[in-house]
């Protein structure tokens, strides 16, 4: 403790305060009052400074307003930690109390560094992602960077928390020795911990692999387990898919590394939709092809790239006709397929009703002979 701290603790707190004698008060009560006063002054100073700063950035860009709002918690915690450190230096503490307070302040400092690191990572992520917009028509590049950044941000958050917690625990002698001996040994405890953390570590490493290779991205259209939907969120351990009927499917990250699935927007959002028709052999294909082209040209969903009509197979009583139409996104391709189906069936019912599938039966008249002829003649005579 320096000379100023000794003077303050002996005169300002130990003996008098603003002319009032304090020697009759116990030391613990004086220390408690000092800590309480320090925290109150710190909160007051932080609130005043933060109010002024908030008013200064109120007319600025959204980024600066969110930055100030995001740093509210870490700055308040930092001011309180500094105030407690000053109060501890001027309070009449015993050796045991001083050691305890120093230990608590050291843990608070480690937690503050971790909090600042997480805030800095969030701010950097926000600044980086401001250049990309997911609501654009061609958002492939945006989805790529957003997915990669979000996954790496969550992995970074987990790493910061683990490192900060480890550093806080290592400030205690007993825990530090136990941690060193646990890391240096390959005993049963290490094996049990490794097996217990295997699912968590598996998904964390799967998240890193997904961020690098990117088989899926935010807002990708996927077909998984027979369900179609878009990737809504990618966390550090699981993926949330928003299905077409607004349900949510939750899948672990390791699923997309170990099992096959369909990604309809891997390279671009455009998709070719397929419409299958089973029609009678009397169907005029040329008229059907002309009608499909008319429907595509008149639709706002068609991207003017692919339209095709082909007879792909013959069945016993029908022929298989495949119609291909393209659209800019998978939802638009689905709607375009439905539009083509509806307008084609109306066209065939109205213009070519004999083109619809039907079963044929042919009857033949046969003259009965032999005994059957005699029976028929007798019945006719009766």
């Amino acid at each position: 403790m320096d000379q100023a701290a000794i003077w303050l603790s002996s005169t300002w707190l130990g003996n008098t305060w603003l002319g009032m004698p304090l020697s009759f008060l116990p030391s613990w009560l004086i220390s408690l009052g000092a800590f309480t006063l320090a925290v109150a002054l710190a909160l007051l100073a932080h609130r005043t400074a933060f109010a002024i700063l908030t008013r200064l950035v109120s007319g600025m860009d959204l980024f600066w307003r969110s930055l100030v709002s995001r740093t509210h918690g870490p700055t308040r915690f930092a001011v309180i930690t500094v105030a407690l450190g000053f109060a501890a230096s001027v309070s009449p503490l015993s050796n045991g109390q001083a050691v305890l307070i120093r230990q608590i302040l050291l843990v608070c400092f480690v937690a503050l560094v971790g909090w600042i690191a997480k805030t800095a990572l969030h701010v950097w992520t926000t600044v980086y992602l401001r250049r990309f917009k997911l609501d654009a028509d061609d958002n492939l590049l945006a989805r790529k960077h957003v997915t990669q950044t979000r996954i790496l941000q969550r992995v970074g958050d987990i790493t910061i928390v683990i490192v900060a917690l480890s550093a806080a625990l290592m400030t205690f002698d007993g825990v530090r020795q136990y941690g060193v001996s646990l890391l240096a040994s390959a005993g049963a405890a290490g094996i049990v911990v490794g097996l217990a953390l295997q699912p968590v570590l598996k998904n964390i490493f799967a998240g890193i692999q997904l961020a690098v290779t990117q088989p899926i991205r935010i807002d990708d259209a996927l077909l998984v387990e027979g369900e179609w939907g878009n990737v809504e969120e990618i966390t550090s351990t699981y993926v949330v898919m928003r299905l077409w009927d607004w349900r949510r499917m939750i899948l672990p990250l390791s699923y997309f590394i170990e099992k096959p699935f369909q990604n309809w927007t891997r390279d671009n959002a455009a998709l070719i939709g397929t419409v299958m028709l089973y029609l009678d052999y009397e169907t005029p294909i040329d008229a059907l092809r002309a009608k499909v082209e008319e429907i595509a040209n008149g639709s706002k969903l068609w991207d003017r790239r692919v339209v095709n009509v082909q007879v792909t197979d013959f069945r016993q009583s029908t022929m298989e006709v495949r119609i291909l139409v393209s659209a800019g996104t998978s939802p638009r391709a689905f709607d375009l397929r439905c539009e083509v189906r509806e307008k084609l069936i109306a066209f065939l019912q109205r213009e070519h009703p004999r083109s619809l599938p039907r079963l044929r039966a042919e009857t033949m008249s046969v003259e009965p002979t032999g005994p059957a002829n005699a029976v028929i003649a007798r019945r006719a005579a009766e």
Side-chain angles (χ1 to χ4, degrees), residues 49-92:
F50 199 80
I52 296 174
L53 187 60
T54 303
R55 183 172 298 178
L56 289 176
V57 301
S58 60
M60 296 184 181
D61 186 59
L62 176 62
F63 165 74
W64 295 104
R65 299 199 302 270
S66 61
L67 177 62
V68 172
S69 176
R70 187 75 182 181
T71 57
H72 179 268
T75 53
R76 182 175 58 184
F77 188 67
V79 171
I80 293 176
T81 302
V82 172
L84 290 176
F86 177 77
S89 64
V90 300
S91 298

mmCIF file of all heavy atoms in Angstrom, residues 49-92:
data_model
loop_
_atom_site.group_PDB
_atom_site.id
_atom_site.type_symbol
_atom_site.label_atom_id
_atom_site.label_comp_id
_atom_site.label_asym_id
_atom_site.label_seq_id
_atom_site.Cartn_x
_atom_site.Cartn_y
_atom_site.Cartn_z
ATOM 1 N N ALA A 49 -22.059 9.611 -17.446
ATOM 2 C CA ALA A 49 -21.239 9.578 -18.658
ATOM 3 C C ALA A 49 -21.955 8.844 -19.796
ATOM 4 O O ALA A 49 -21.884 9.269 -20.959
ATOM 5 C CB ALA A 49 -19.895 8.911 -18.365
ATOM 6 N N PHE A 50 -22.653 7.777 -19.463
ATOM 7 C CA PHE A 50 -23.330 7.008 -20.502
ATOM 8 C C PHE A 50 -24.513 7.785 -21.066
ATOM 9 O O PHE A 50 -24.799 7.703 -22.269
ATOM 10 C CB PHE A 50 -23.803 5.667 -19.935
ATOM 11 C CG PHE A 50 -24.084 4.637 -20.983
ATOM 12 C CD1 PHE A 50 -23.049 3.915 -21.555
ATOM 13 C CD2 PHE A 50 -25.382 4.401 -21.419
ATOM 14 C CE1 PHE A 50 -23.301 2.976 -22.528
ATOM 15 C CE2 PHE A 50 -25.629 3.457 -22.395
ATOM 16 C CZ PHE A 50 -24.589 2.751 -22.953
ATOM 17 N N ALA A 51 -25.206 8.535 -20.221
ATOM 18 C CA ALA A 51 -26.311 9.360 -20.716
ATOM 19 C C ALA A 51 -25.799 10.430 -21.680
ATOM 20 O O ALA A 51 -26.413 10.702 -22.725
ATOM 21 C CB ALA A 51 -27.048 10.001 -19.546
ATOM 22 N N ILE A 52 -24.659 11.044 -21.336
ATOM 23 C CA ILE A 52 -24.084 12.050 -22.226
ATOM 24 C C ILE A 52 -23.657 11.423 -23.548
ATOM 25 O O ILE A 52 -23.916 11.962 -24.630
ATOM 26 C CB ILE A 52 -22.889 12.740 -21.527
ATOM 27 C CG1 ILE A 52 -23.376 13.507 -20.284
ATOM 28 C CG2 ILE A 52 -22.173 13.674 -22.494
ATOM 29 C CD1 ILE A 52 -22.258 14.095 -19.454
ATOM 30 N N LEU A 53 -23.023 10.263 -23.466
ATOM 31 C CA LEU A 53 -22.563 9.592 -24.692
ATOM 32 C C LEU A 53 -23.738 9.152 -25.551
ATOM 33 O O LEU A 53 -23.697 9.252 -26.783
ATOM 34 C CB LEU A 53 -21.699 8.388 -24.309
ATOM 35 C CG LEU A 53 -20.997 7.653 -25.461
ATOM 36 C CD1 LEU A 53 -20.068 8.598 -26.191
ATOM 37 C CD2 LEU A 53 -20.232 6.449 -24.929
ATOM 38 N N THR A 54 -24.803 8.665 -24.925
ATOM 39 C CA THR A 54 -25.990 8.263 -25.681
ATOM 40 C C THR A 54 -26.626 9.436 -26.400
ATOM 41 O O THR A 54 -27.077 9.325 -27.552
ATOM 42 C CB THR A 54 -27.014 7.608 -24.739
ATOM 43 O OG1 THR A 54 -26.414 6.488 -24.076
ATOM 44 C CG2 THR A 54 -28.233 7.126 -25.509
ATOM 45 N N ARG A 55 -26.628 10.577 -25.733
ATOM 46 C CA ARG A 55 -27.187 11.771 -26.378
ATOM 47 C C ARG A 55 -26.308 12.225 -27.540
ATOM 48 O O ARG A 55 -26.820 12.707 -28.565
ATOM 49 C CB ARG A 55 -27.322 12.882 -25.349
ATOM 50 C CG ARG A 55 -27.952 14.156 -25.881
ATOM 51 C CD ARG A 55 -28.222 15.142 -24.766
ATOM 52 N NE ARG A 55 -29.162 14.593 -23.805
ATOM 53 C CZ ARG A 55 -29.559 15.246 -22.695
ATOM 54 N NH1 ARG A 55 -29.085 16.465 -22.441
ATOM 55 N NH2 ARG A 55 -30.415 14.676 -21.868
ATOM 56 N N LEU A 56 -25.004 12.059 -27.415
ATOM 57 C CA LEU A 56 -24.100 12.483 -28.486
ATOM 58 C C LEU A 56 -24.280 11.643 -29.751
ATOM 59 O O LEU A 56 -24.172 12.153 -30.864
ATOM 60 C CB LEU A 56 -22.649 12.412 -28.006
ATOM 61 C CG LEU A 56 -22.217 13.457 -26.971
ATOM 62 C CD1 LEU A 56 -20.787 13.208 -26.518
ATOM 63 C CD2 LEU A 56 -22.361 14.869 -27.532
ATOM 64 N N VAL A 57 -24.544 10.345 -29.575
ATOM 65 C CA VAL A 57 -24.662 9.460 -30.744
ATOM 66 C C VAL A 57 -26.101 9.285 -31.197
ATOM 67 O O VAL A 57 -26.367 8.491 -32.105
ATOM 68 C CB VAL A 57 -24.046 8.078 -30.434
ATOM 69 C CG1 VAL A 57 -22.584 8.200 -30.069
ATOM 70 C CG2 VAL A 57 -24.827 7.356 -29.335
ATOM 71 N N SER A 58 -27.046 9.978 -30.582
ATOM 72 C CA SER A 58 -28.453 9.793 -30.939
ATOM 73 C C SER A 58 -28.739 10.192 -32.386
ATOM 74 O O SER A 58 -29.623 9.638 -33.028
ATOM 75 C CB SER A 58 -29.342 10.598 -29.985
ATOM 76 O OG SER A 58 -29.030 11.984 -30.068
ATOM 77 N N GLY A 59 -27.978 11.156 -32.900
ATOM 78 C CA GLY A 59 -28.193 11.584 -34.275
ATOM 79 C C GLY A 59 -27.274 10.914 -35.275
ATOM 80 O O GLY A 59 -27.310 11.260 -36.465
ATOM 81 N N MET A 60 -26.475 9.975 -34.837
ATOM 82 C CA MET A 60 -25.526 9.304 -35.718
ATOM 83 C C MET A 60 -26.128 8.060 -36.341
ATOM 84 O O MET A 60 -27.320 7.778 -36.184
ATOM 85 C CB MET A 60 -24.248 8.946 -34.948
ATOM 86 C CG MET A 60 -23.466 10.127 -34.446
ATOM 87 S SD MET A 60 -21.912 9.627 -33.658
ATOM 88 C CE MET A 60 -21.252 11.213 -33.172
ATOM 89 N N ASP A 61 -25.284 7.312 -37.022
ATOM 90 C CA ASP A 61 -25.711 6.096 -37.705
ATOM 91 C C ASP A 61 -26.155 5.037 -36.698
ATOM 92 O O ASP A 61 -25.785 5.070 -35.519
ATOM 93 C CB ASP A 61 -24.556 5.562 -38.561
ATOM 94 C CG ASP A 61 -24.986 4.382 -39.417
ATOM 95 O OD1 ASP A 61 -25.919 4.530 -40.230
ATOM 96 O OD2 ASP A 61 -24.409 3.315 -39.240
ATOM 97 N N LEU A 62 -26.939 4.067 -37.196
ATOM 98 C CA LEU A 62 -27.418 2.986 -36.337
ATOM 99 C C LEU A 62 -26.271 2.197 -35.735
ATOM 100 O O LEU A 62 -26.358 1.701 -34.602
ATOM 101 C CB LEU A 62 -28.331 2.058 -37.148
ATOM 102 C CG LEU A 62 -28.854 0.804 -36.429
ATOM 103 C CD1 LEU A 62 -29.718 1.199 -35.236
ATOM 104 C CD2 LEU A 62 -29.643 -0.067 -37.396
ATOM 105 N N PHE A 63 -25.157 2.082 -36.473
ATOM 106 C CA PHE A 63 -24.017 1.331 -35.962
ATOM 107 C C PHE A 63 -23.481 1.938 -34.677
ATOM 108 O O PHE A 63 -23.204 1.237 -33.698
ATOM 109 C CB PHE A 63 -22.911 1.279 -37.019
ATOM 110 C CG PHE A 63 -21.584 0.834 -36.471
ATOM 111 C CD1 PHE A 63 -21.380 -0.497 -36.144
ATOM 112 C CD2 PHE A 63 -20.571 1.744 -36.273
ATOM 113 C CE1 PHE A 63 -20.158 -0.906 -35.624
ATOM 114 C CE2 PHE A 63 -19.364 1.336 -35.765
ATOM 115 C CZ PHE A 63 -19.150 0.009 -35.442
ATOM 116 N N TRP A 64 -23.332 3.267 -34.634
ATOM 117 C CA TRP A 64 -22.786 3.915 -33.448
ATOM 118 C C TRP A 64 -23.764 3.823 -32.278
ATOM 119 O O TRP A 64 -23.340 3.639 -31.117
ATOM 120 C CB TRP A 64 -22.457 5.370 -33.758
ATOM 121 C CG TRP A 64 -21.362 5.513 -34.757
ATOM 122 C CD1 TRP A 64 -21.469 5.849 -36.077
ATOM 123 C CD2 TRP A 64 -19.970 5.266 -34.521
ATOM 124 N NE1 TRP A 64 -20.246 5.847 -36.684
ATOM 125 C CE2 TRP A 64 -19.294 5.491 -35.756
ATOM 126 C CE3 TRP A 64 -19.230 4.891 -33.402
ATOM 127 C CZ2 TRP A 64 -17.925 5.361 -35.880
ATOM 128 C CZ3 TRP A 64 -17.862 4.761 -33.524
ATOM 129 C CH2 TRP A 64 -17.212 4.985 -34.747
ATOM 130 N N ARG A 65 -25.038 3.939 -32.547
ATOM 131 C CA ARG A 65 -26.010 3.792 -31.464
ATOM 132 C C ARG A 65 -25.985 2.385 -30.879
ATOM 133 O O ARG A 65 -26.024 2.204 -29.665
ATOM 134 C CB ARG A 65 -27.410 4.128 -31.980
ATOM 135 C CG ARG A 65 -27.553 5.559 -32.484
ATOM 136 C CD ARG A 65 -29.009 5.993 -32.548
ATOM 137 N NE ARG A 65 -29.804 5.125 -33.387
ATOM 138 C CZ ARG A 65 -29.992 5.309 -34.686
ATOM 139 N NH1 ARG A 65 -29.416 6.342 -35.308
ATOM 140 N NH2 ARG A 65 -30.742 4.481 -35.392
ATOM 141 N N SER A 66 -25.927 1.375 -31.756
ATOM 142 C CA SER A 66 -25.871 0.004 -31.260
ATOM 143 C C SER A 66 -24.545 -0.279 -30.567
ATOM 144 O O SER A 66 -24.492 -1.061 -29.613
ATOM 145 C CB SER A 66 -26.087 -0.976 -32.418
ATOM 146 O OG SER A 66 -25.074 -0.822 -33.397
ATOM 147 N N LEU A 67 -23.454 0.352 -31.032
ATOM 148 C CA LEU A 67 -22.157 0.152 -30.388
ATOM 149 C C LEU A 67 -22.164 0.678 -28.957
ATOM 150 O O LEU A 67 -21.696 0.006 -28.024
ATOM 151 C CB LEU A 67 -21.065 0.850 -31.203
ATOM 152 C CG LEU A 67 -19.647 0.806 -30.626
ATOM 153 C CD1 LEU A 67 -19.157 -0.626 -30.536
ATOM 154 C CD2 LEU A 67 -18.699 1.651 -31.466
ATOM 155 N N VAL A 68 -22.706 1.865 -28.774
ATOM 156 C CA VAL A 68 -22.786 2.431 -27.423
ATOM 157 C C VAL A 68 -23.685 1.577 -26.541
ATOM 158 O O VAL A 68 -23.371 1.296 -25.375
ATOM 159 C CB VAL A 68 -23.289 3.885 -27.493
ATOM 160 C CG1 VAL A 68 -23.568 4.426 -26.094
ATOM 161 C CG2 VAL A 68 -22.258 4.760 -28.201
ATOM 162 N N SER A 69 -24.811 1.147 -27.084
ATOM 163 C CA SER A 69 -25.718 0.308 -26.300
ATOM 164 C C SER A 69 -25.074 -1.025 -25.937
ATOM 165 O O SER A 69 -25.284 -1.545 -24.844
ATOM 166 C CB SER A 69 -27.014 0.079 -27.093
ATOM 167 O OG SER A 69 -27.873 -0.806 -26.419
ATOM 168 N N ARG A 70 -24.296 -1.576 -26.868
ATOM 169 C CA ARG A 70 -23.661 -2.877 -26.623
ATOM 170 C C ARG A 70 -22.590 -2.802 -25.544
ATOM 171 O O ARG A 70 -22.370 -3.778 -24.815
ATOM 172 C CB ARG A 70 -23.055 -3.384 -27.935
ATOM 173 C CG ARG A 70 -22.506 -4.795 -27.876
ATOM 174 C CD ARG A 70 -23.615 -5.798 -27.881
ATOM 175 N NE ARG A 70 -23.112 -7.163 -27.789
ATOM 176 C CZ ARG A 70 -23.875 -8.257 -27.783
ATOM 177 N NH1 ARG A 70 -25.181 -8.133 -27.866
ATOM 178 N NH2 ARG A 70 -23.346 -9.447 -27.690
ATOM 179 N N THR A 71 -21.917 -1.672 -25.410
ATOM 180 C CA THR A 71 -20.841 -1.535 -24.431
ATOM 181 C C THR A 71 -21.323 -1.031 -23.072
ATOM 182 O O THR A 71 -20.493 -0.734 -22.208
ATOM 183 C CB THR A 71 -19.770 -0.567 -24.980
ATOM 184 O OG1 THR A 71 -20.394 0.696 -25.287
ATOM 185 C CG2 THR A 71 -19.115 -1.130 -26.230
ATOM 186 N N HIS A 72 -22.618 -0.958 -22.875
ATOM 187 C CA HIS A 72 -23.135 -0.460 -21.592
ATOM 188 C C HIS A 72 -22.733 -1.372 -20.448
ATOM 189 O O HIS A 72 -22.223 -0.925 -19.405
ATOM 190 C CB HIS A 72 -24.655 -0.345 -21.677
ATOM 191 C CG HIS A 72 -25.281 0.131 -20.394
ATOM 192 N ND1 HIS A 72 -25.729 -0.741 -19.416
ATOM 193 C CD2 HIS A 72 -25.534 1.379 -19.924
ATOM 194 C CE1 HIS A 72 -26.228 -0.061 -18.415
ATOM 195 N NE2 HIS A 72 -26.134 1.236 -18.694
ATOM 196 N N GLY A 73 -22.932 -2.672 -20.600
ATOM 197 C CA GLY A 73 -22.611 -3.608 -19.530
ATOM 198 C C GLY A 73 -21.126 -3.699 -19.220
ATOM 199 O O GLY A 73 -20.720 -3.584 -18.045
ATOM 200 N N PRO A 74 -20.245 -3.898 -20.232
ATOM 201 C CA PRO A 74 -18.810 -3.995 -19.917
ATOM 202 C C PRO A 74 -18.238 -2.735 -19.285
ATOM 203 O O PRO A 74 -17.426 -2.817 -18.352
ATOM 204 C CB PRO A 74 -18.182 -4.250 -21.297
ATOM 205 C CG PRO A 74 -19.259 -4.894 -22.097
ATOM 206 C CD PRO A 74 -20.522 -4.250 -21.626
ATOM 207 N N THR A 75 -18.643 -1.547 -19.759
ATOM 208 C CA THR A 75 -18.099 -0.318 -19.169
ATOM 209 C C THR A 75 -18.568 -0.136 -17.729
ATOM 210 O O THR A 75 -17.792 0.310 -16.869
ATOM 211 C CB THR A 75 -18.518 0.890 -20.015
ATOM 212 O OG1 THR A 75 -19.960 0.887 -20.182
ATOM 213 C CG2 THR A 75 -17.877 0.841 -21.385
ATOM 214 N N ARG A 76 -19.806 -0.470 -17.439
ATOM 215 C CA ARG A 76 -20.282 -0.360 -16.058
ATOM 216 C C ARG A 76 -19.534 -1.323 -15.141
ATOM 217 O O ARG A 76 -19.131 -0.964 -14.031
ATOM 218 C CB ARG A 76 -21.791 -0.646 -16.010
ATOM 219 C CG ARG A 76 -22.385 -0.517 -14.620
ATOM 220 C CD ARG A 76 -23.890 -0.681 -14.644
ATOM 221 N NE ARG A 76 -24.277 -1.962 -15.209
ATOM 222 C CZ ARG A 76 -25.537 -2.322 -15.422
ATOM 223 N NH1 ARG A 76 -26.525 -1.473 -15.140
ATOM 224 N NH2 ARG A 76 -25.830 -3.504 -15.927
ATOM 225 N N PHE A 77 -19.325 -2.552 -15.627
ATOM 226 C CA PHE A 77 -18.585 -3.532 -14.829
ATOM 227 C C PHE A 77 -17.140 -3.077 -14.616
ATOM 228 O O PHE A 77 -16.563 -3.273 -13.538
ATOM 229 C CB PHE A 77 -18.625 -4.889 -15.530
ATOM 230 C CG PHE A 77 -18.065 -6.015 -14.717
ATOM 231 C CD1 PHE A 77 -18.687 -6.449 -13.567
ATOM 232 C CD2 PHE A 77 -16.890 -6.643 -15.106
ATOM 233 C CE1 PHE A 77 -18.178 -7.483 -12.817
ATOM 234 C CE2 PHE A 77 -16.360 -7.688 -14.371
ATOM 235 C CZ PHE A 77 -17.007 -8.116 -13.224
ATOM 236 N N ALA A 78 -16.544 -2.459 -15.637
ATOM 237 C CA ALA A 78 -15.167 -1.977 -15.510
ATOM 238 C C ALA A 78 -15.075 -0.850 -14.484
ATOM 239 O O ALA A 78 -14.148 -0.809 -13.649
ATOM 240 C CB ALA A 78 -14.658 -1.508 -16.867
ATOM 241 N N VAL A 79 -16.015 0.086 -14.515
ATOM 242 C CA VAL A 79 -15.997 1.199 -13.565
ATOM 243 C C VAL A 79 -16.185 0.687 -12.139
ATOM 244 O O VAL A 79 -15.500 1.131 -11.198
ATOM 245 C CB VAL A 79 -17.091 2.221 -13.940
ATOM 246 C CG1 VAL A 79 -17.247 3.270 -12.842
ATOM 247 C CG2 VAL A 79 -16.750 2.890 -15.250
ATOM 248 N N ILE A 80 -17.090 -0.268 -11.948
ATOM 249 C CA ILE A 80 -17.304 -0.827 -10.612
ATOM 250 C C ILE A 80 -16.050 -1.555 -10.129
ATOM 251 O O ILE A 80 -15.658 -1.455 -8.958
ATOM 252 C CB ILE A 80 -18.518 -1.775 -10.626
ATOM 253 C CG1 ILE A 80 -19.807 -0.984 -10.874
ATOM 254 C CG2 ILE A 80 -18.626 -2.539 -9.323
ATOM 255 C CD1 ILE A 80 -21.040 -1.843 -11.008
ATOM 256 N N THR A 81 -15.378 -2.292 -11.008
ATOM 257 C CA THR A 81 -14.161 -3.009 -10.620
ATOM 258 C C THR A 81 -13.068 -2.038 -10.197
ATOM 259 O O THR A 81 -12.376 -2.250 -9.177
ATOM 260 C CB THR A 81 -13.676 -3.883 -11.793
ATOM 261 O OG1 THR A 81 -14.712 -4.789 -12.163
ATOM 262 C CG2 THR A 81 -12.443 -4.679 -11.396
ATOM 263 N N VAL A 82 -12.891 -0.970 -10.958
ATOM 264 C CA VAL A 82 -11.884 0.029 -10.595
ATOM 265 C C VAL A 82 -12.227 0.695 -9.269
ATOM 266 O O VAL A 82 -11.349 0.910 -8.414
ATOM 267 C CB VAL A 82 -11.756 1.077 -11.725
ATOM 268 C CG1 VAL A 82 -10.856 2.232 -11.290
ATOM 269 C CG2 VAL A 82 -11.205 0.428 -12.985
ATOM 270 N N ALA A 83 -13.492 1.016 -9.072
ATOM 271 C CA ALA A 83 -13.910 1.645 -7.818
ATOM 272 C C ALA A 83 -13.687 0.709 -6.635
ATOM 273 O O ALA A 83 -13.232 1.147 -5.561
ATOM 274 C CB ALA A 83 -15.379 2.055 -7.909
ATOM 275 N N LEU A 84 -13.987 -0.570 -6.786
ATOM 276 C CA LEU A 84 -13.754 -1.526 -5.705
ATOM 277 C C LEU A 84 -12.260 -1.668 -5.410
ATOM 278 O O LEU A 84 -11.856 -1.826 -4.250
ATOM 279 C CB LEU A 84 -14.357 -2.888 -6.073
ATOM 280 C CG LEU A 84 -15.884 -2.973 -6.100
ATOM 281 C CD1 LEU A 84 -16.336 -4.348 -6.568
ATOM 282 C CD2 LEU A 84 -16.459 -2.682 -4.714
ATOM 283 N N GLY A 85 -11.444 -1.637 -6.448
ATOM 284 C CA GLY A 85 -10.002 -1.697 -6.221
ATOM 285 C C GLY A 85 -9.498 -0.498 -5.439
ATOM 286 O O GLY A 85 -8.652 -0.638 -4.533
ATOM 287 N N PHE A 86 -10.011 0.692 -5.754
ATOM 288 C CA PHE A 86 -9.618 1.883 -5.000
ATOM 289 C C PHE A 86 -10.117 1.806 -3.557
ATOM 290 O O PHE A 86 -9.387 2.146 -2.613
ATOM 291 C CB PHE A 86 -10.172 3.125 -5.686
ATOM 292 C CG PHE A 86 -9.883 4.402 -4.960
ATOM 293 C CD1 PHE A 86 -8.623 4.985 -5.016
ATOM 294 C CD2 PHE A 86 -10.877 5.022 -4.211
ATOM 295 C CE1 PHE A 86 -8.361 6.158 -4.328
ATOM 296 C CE2 PHE A 86 -10.619 6.197 -3.516
ATOM 297 C CZ PHE A 86 -9.353 6.773 -3.579
ATOM 298 N N ALA A 87 -11.351 1.351 -3.382
ATOM 299 C CA ALA A 87 -11.883 1.235 -2.023
ATOM 300 C C ALA A 87 -11.101 0.219 -1.209
ATOM 301 O O ALA A 87 -10.869 0.403 -0.009
ATOM 302 C CB ALA A 87 -13.360 0.849 -2.083
ATOM 303 N N ALA A 88 -10.655 -0.862 -1.825
ATOM 304 C CA ALA A 88 -9.873 -1.868 -1.112
ATOM 305 C C ALA A 88 -8.518 -1.322 -0.687
ATOM 306 O O ALA A 88 -7.971 -1.720 0.351
ATOM 307 C CB ALA A 88 -9.691 -3.098 -2.002
ATOM 308 N N SER A 89 -7.974 -0.402 -1.491
ATOM 309 C CA SER A 89 -6.650 0.146 -1.157
ATOM 310 C C SER A 89 -6.695 1.128 0.005
ATOM 311 O O SER A 89 -5.674 1.377 0.644
ATOM 312 C CB SER A 89 -6.050 0.826 -2.383
ATOM 313 O OG SER A 89 -6.840 1.940 -2.772
ATOM 314 N N VAL A 90 -7.864 1.718 0.290
ATOM 315 C CA VAL A 90 -7.954 2.713 1.370
ATOM 316 C C VAL A 90 -8.735 2.195 2.567
ATOM 317 O O VAL A 90 -8.869 2.911 3.564
ATOM 318 C CB VAL A 90 -8.609 4.000 0.835
ATOM 319 C CG1 VAL A 90 -7.802 4.593 -0.303
ATOM 320 C CG2 VAL A 90 -10.042 3.737 0.389
ATOM 321 N N SER A 91 -9.250 0.986 2.509
ATOM 322 C CA SER A 91 -10.047 0.441 3.607
ATOM 323 C C SER A 91 -9.134 -0.236 4.627
ATOM 324 O O SER A 91 -8.117 -0.845 4.268
ATOM 325 C CB SER A 91 -11.071 -0.563 3.081
ATOM 326 O OG SER A 91 -11.967 0.061 2.200
ATOM 327 N N PRO A 92 -9.502 -0.166 5.906
ATOM 328 C CA PRO A 92 -8.699 -0.831 6.961
ATOM 329 C C PRO A 92 -9.003 -2.331 7.004
ATOM 330 O O PRO A 92 -9.764 -2.823 7.844
ATOM 331 C CB PRO A 92 -9.155 -0.122 8.226
ATOM 332 C CG PRO A 92 -10.546 0.318 7.935
ATOM 333 C CD PRO A 92 -10.584 0.668 6.467
#
